[in-house]
Amino acid sequence: METEELIFYQIYPRSFCDSNGDGIGDIRGIISKMDYLKALGINAVWLSPCFPSPNKDNGYDVSDYCAISPELGTMQDFEQMLAMFHKNGIKLILDFVANHTSTEHEWFQQSRSAKDNPYRNYYIWRKQPPNDWKSLFGGSAWEYDETTGEYYLHSFAKEQADLNYENPSVRKEMQNVIDFWAEKGVDGFRCDVLDMIAKDFIKHKNGNGTRLHEYIRELFGRKKTSRLFTVGECWGSSAKNVALFCAPERRELTAVFNFEHLCLQNDRFSPRKPKLRTVCQRMAKWQKLMQKNGLLPTLFLENHDQPRSVSRFGDDKKYRYESATALGALVLLHRGIPFLYQGEEIGMTNSHHKTIEDFDDIETRNYYFEKKDKMHQDVLLRNVNAGTRDNARRAIAWTEENVATYLPAYSEKERVNVHKDLQAEKSVYGFYQKLIALRRNAACFTRGEYRLIALKNYYRFERRFQGETYQIIVCFAKPCRLPKLKGELVLNNYKTIGSRLKPYQVLVYKKPSGE
Ligand code: ISL
Ligand code: CA
């Protein structure tokens, strides 16, 4: 399969499907939904961390990279799942948590025990904090450790200690992790905050250090790893840097997650609702930048760290179906590699909760307790509800039934659940199936050129390949004039077409050939 043909679906295993009723999604649950995934039409899965973890950050604090979390299943379950994905023509990539380990990891346990322990330099220790770096989850990034009276660096929670990539043994260990899973047959990796593995203490940057590209090449540029698909989470990379990561001859990464189109607020909890037009503008900008360099951008509006896109950029009440399908068109009809996130395909919305006890996300809880005495409770909770990563992490509502999970249930499950959506006349899943089928059947969408036609009251672009042209129109929240369009209508998320475009209406036309 060519890279541009891949259509990913991200599974956050703890919240996907629970097969044994202990409240935690698991591998057997994923296996039980094989038909659901296959029928959607995706051909690749990114599985969020499935390794043993104390779950301070829901699996992104790994305590053993080469095993399966007992909560999720056994290595045998994993192997069976992998074989079933492959049998169904679905590739599987794992999450490579590159920057830090859990403080419960054996390496850290050794490291913290004594200054002369052979594992001491696996992590970043200092007598005194050498700078004022902050943890992305709040507070100082330096934590004092009593046993040896020194501080270690943690860019995220204090239970997630940053690895020291300057140490060649660490780089070797991490190569071994990659090789372990590659030998099992996995097809690649999504690399967590990969741009942070190289620090720059001189320039005072907690990432994008001078040796970053060298480290990545050591991890993935080896002969053994050349078949792997790799996508690096690299916040705020410039187009120039993305071009370096992805240039094939440099043997670094296949693709990069750049987040410019989703960074629309000061911080995730600021309540201002971003404009869909702005999202489209930024997507269009990256379409052009990447096309110019002959590279494939990643296409996504959600992941396990983002609020639900239909609530953020669409209208999750009156036009839930229409806006969810319009957003789907943006992800699936652009040039690049689409990544859907579980639940997006049924138009899952943000969840609403009245007490902090209903939230599990460490970032959210830290934010709440930091602001608690400085902000009005209602305002604070509104911000939390809108911005929390838990929005993406509430268990998928397969039916409207109340099933107990590790996280209080999705508040809208009576209104939005898989069972109901599949039966509905206006089924979001049904429209996603059509979008995916279109993408898989017309080379225009995978290999075609991208051209921006208009971005004003609506977004209009074209995809073109070998004499074939498709026109895509996405209307924003307000109805507007319908431009003249020629050709065959192949997709419409409304029943009819009037003289004006309706809110969030999507139209796809195939132009008669030769025009
Ligand atoms: O969502 C964020 C905070 O608003 C980001 O800073 C997020 O933490 C960042 O994208 C890094 O994300 C990745 O690494 C984190 C983990 O918590 C996230 O789930 C993961 O996607 C630490 O491993
Ligand atoms: Ca379970």
Side-chain angles (χ1 to χ4, degrees):
M1 205 184 301
E2 300 293 329
T3 306
E4 64 263 25
E5 290 172 279
L6 293 168
I7 304 174
F8 277 93
Y9 182 95
Q10 183 191 349
I11 294 180
Y12 196 70
R14 289 167 68 77
S15 314
F16 185 66
C17 179
D18 175 16
S19 72
N20 59 356
D22 66 355
I24 299 170
D26 45 49
I27 292 176
R28 302 224 69 86
I30 299 174
I31 293 177
S32 75
K33 296 297 175 190
M34 203 57 70
D35 290 345
Y36 176 83
L37 296 172
K38 181 142 174 77
L40 182 59
I42 54 100
N43 54 25
V45 162
W46 150 24
L47 183 63
S48 275
C50 54
F51 319 108
S53 162
N55 285 309
K56 293 287 177 205
D57 186 22
N58 254 337
Y60 284 89
D61 46 328
V62 177
S63 53
D64 181 355
Y65 286 96
C66 297
I68 295 294
S69 161
E71 287 176 330
L72 302 181
T74 63
M75 188 59 86
Q76 232 179 350
D77 294 333
F78 177 86
E79 283 163 0
Q80 193 189 341
M81 172 182 71
L82 178 62
M84 282 186 73
F85 274 133
H86 284 170
K87 202 174 113 219
N88 285 294
I90 297 172
K91 294 195 181 296
L92 178 66
I93 69 168
L94 299 186
D95 219 302
F96 177 57
V97 187
N99 177 68
H100 43 262
T101 73
S102 161
T103 48
E104 307 272 299
H105 195 292
E106 176 63 23
W107 302 338
F108 190 81
Q109 292 295 316
Q110 293 279 346
S111 184
R112 78 166 9 152
S113 68
K115 286 186 195 168
D116 60 358
N117 185 285
Y119 287 90
R120 185 64 169 182
N121 283 327
Y122 270 46
Y123 298 87
I124 301 166
W125 292 96
R126 294 288 187 272
K127 285 196 181 66
Q128 287 298 323
N131 52 41
D132 59 358
W133 288 355
K134 297 272 174 289
S135 149
L136 273 93
F137 292 160
S140 167
W142 295 97
E143 180 75 10
Y144 180 72
D145 202 50
E146 261 177 11
T147 319
T148 56
E150 290 192 349
Y151 294 78
Y152 66 89
L153 180 68
H154 62 91
S155 299
F156 294 89
K158 67 178 193 313
E159 297 86 356
Q160 292 166 297
D162 284 37
L163 284 162
N164 174 19
Y165 276 75
E166 283 177 19
N167 180 349
S169 310
V170 166
R171 308 205 296 274
K172 186 75 192 106
E173 296 269 15
M174 294 313 265
Q175 288 172 28
N176 291 344
V177 170
I178 291 165
D179 295 349
F180 174 85
W181 293 106
E183 275 154 30
K184 288 221 176 282
V186 309
D187 301 290
F189 297 91
R190 173 268 185 183
C191 309
D192 194 55
V193 286
L194 191 62
D195 53 356
M196 291 177 76
I197 64 174
K199 324 282 178 203
D200 192 332
F201 285 100
I202 296 164
K203 287 202 192 130
H204 232 65
K205 288 191 307 185
N206 196 1
N208 272 305
T210 36
R211 298 183 68 186
L212 179 59
H213 295 280
E214 171 197 337
Y215 295 162
I216 297 179
R217 214 162 323 161
E218 273 188 25
L219 293 170
F220 295 116
R222 295 168 294 129
K223 203 161 175 199
K224 257 192 186 166
T225 51
S226 61
R227 69 168 180 91
L228 300 176
F229 174 93
T230 49
V231 53
E233 185 194 27
C234 302
W235 281 77
S237 312
S238 62
K240 209 167 123 199
N241 220 354
V242 173
L244 293 179
F245 288 129
C246 301
E249 68 280 7
R250 293 173 57 92
R251 294 176 288 113
E252 293 180 26
L253 298 171
T254 317
V256 158
F257 286 126
N258 170 285
F259 290 81
E260 195 180 315
H261 63 303
L262 297 185
C263 294
L264 302 158
Q265 292 135 302
N266 292 338
D267 70 70
R268 66 163 53 249
F269 297 109
S270 81
R272 195 171 61 90
K273 195 172 152 122
K275 284 209 159 59
L276 180 55
R277 179 183 293 106
T278 317
V279 180
C280 292
Q281 268 159 358
R282 298 196 182 180
M283 285 184 102
K285 170 183 158 188
W286 279 89
Q287 286 286 293
K288 287 192 259 180
L289 279 174
M290 295 295 277
Q291 176 160 274
K292 202 174 78 197
N293 293 326
L295 301 171
L296 292 170
T298 48
L299 307 168
F300 63 100
L301 295 173
E302 292 193 15
N303 65 31
H304 64 290
D305 293 331
Q306 300 289 330
R308 290 294 183 175
S309 57
V310 68
S311 301
R312 202 168 167 209
F313 308 125
D315 176 339
D316 66 7
K317 297 202 173 64
K318 188 158 177 214
Y319 294 109
R320 191 181 64 84
Y321 168 81
E322 290 75 11
S323 53
T325 49
L327 296 169
L330 294 177
V331 175
L332 289 158
L333 301 182
H334 271 120
R335 181 180 170 278
I337 311 165
F339 283 81
L340 300 173
Y341 179 71
Q342 64 186 37
E344 194 174 351
E345 78 283 9
I346 57 160
M348 273 179 80
T349 64
N350 282 349
S351 196
H352 303 282
H353 300 267
K354 293 201 179 74
T355 134
I356 190 64
E357 294 322 311
D358 281 0
F359 297 88
D360 172 75
D361 172 26
I362 184 165
E363 184 187 24
T364 303
R365 295 182 65 93
N366 289 351
Y367 167 83
Y368 178 90
F369 289 109
E370 204 178 287
K371 300 276 181 207
K372 196 163 87 60
D373 302 321
K374 302 178 202 145
M375 257 164 109
H376 193 283
Q377 175 75 7
D378 292 350
V379 177
L380 183 54
L381 272 174
R382 188 195 59 198
N383 294 357
V384 161
N385 273 308
T388 180
R389 307 193 296 177
D390 283 337
N391 279 316
R393 301 171 180 190
R394 309 255 170 217
I396 298 286
W398 293 100
T399 65
E400 61 171 34
E401 261 167 64
N402 211 354
V403 276
T405 70
Y406 76 99
L407 191 65
Y410 170 46
S411 65
E412 308 302 296
K413 65 184 181 328
E414 276 88 42
R415 184 164 74 96
V416 185
N417 61 68
V418 175
H419 179 75
K420 190 168 170 189
D421 187 76
L422 293 178
Q423 316 273 305
E425 195 196 331
K426 294 206 279 184
S427 160
V428 180
Y429 180 96
F431 198 84
Y432 270 69
Q433 277 181 315
K434 287 185 193 158
L435 286 165
I436 292 173
L438 187 61
R439 186 175 181 95
R440 288 186 72 159
N441 295 329
C444 249
F445 291 102
T446 47
R447 303 172 64 186
E449 184 196 331
Y450 164 88
R451 208 155 71 96
L452 171 66
I453 309 283
L455 220 170
K456 231 180 142 199
N457 299 327
Y458 51 74
Y459 176 33
R460 178 174 172 194
F461 62 95
E462 227 174 54
R463 302 295 311 278
R464 236 183 235 246
F465 184 68
Q466 292 184 342
E468 209 171 63
T469 305
Y470 284 85
Q471 289 254 343
I472 298 97
I473 289 219
V474 178
C475 183
F476 303 134
K478 288 203 190 92
C480 63
R481 187 185 58 82
L482 174 72
K484 264 215 180 67
L485 287 161
K486 274 195 281 182
E488 175 199 350
L489 177 69
V490 291
L491 221 49
N492 180 2
N493 61 350
Y494 279 81
K495 273 204 178 123
T496 55
I497 305 182
S499 58
R500 291 169 71 73
L501 284 165
K502 300 199 179 71
Y504 305 105
Q505 186 160 24
V506 174
L507 300 173
V508 180
Y509 282 88
K510 185 176 178 187
K511 268 195 181 172
S513 56
E515 284 192 46

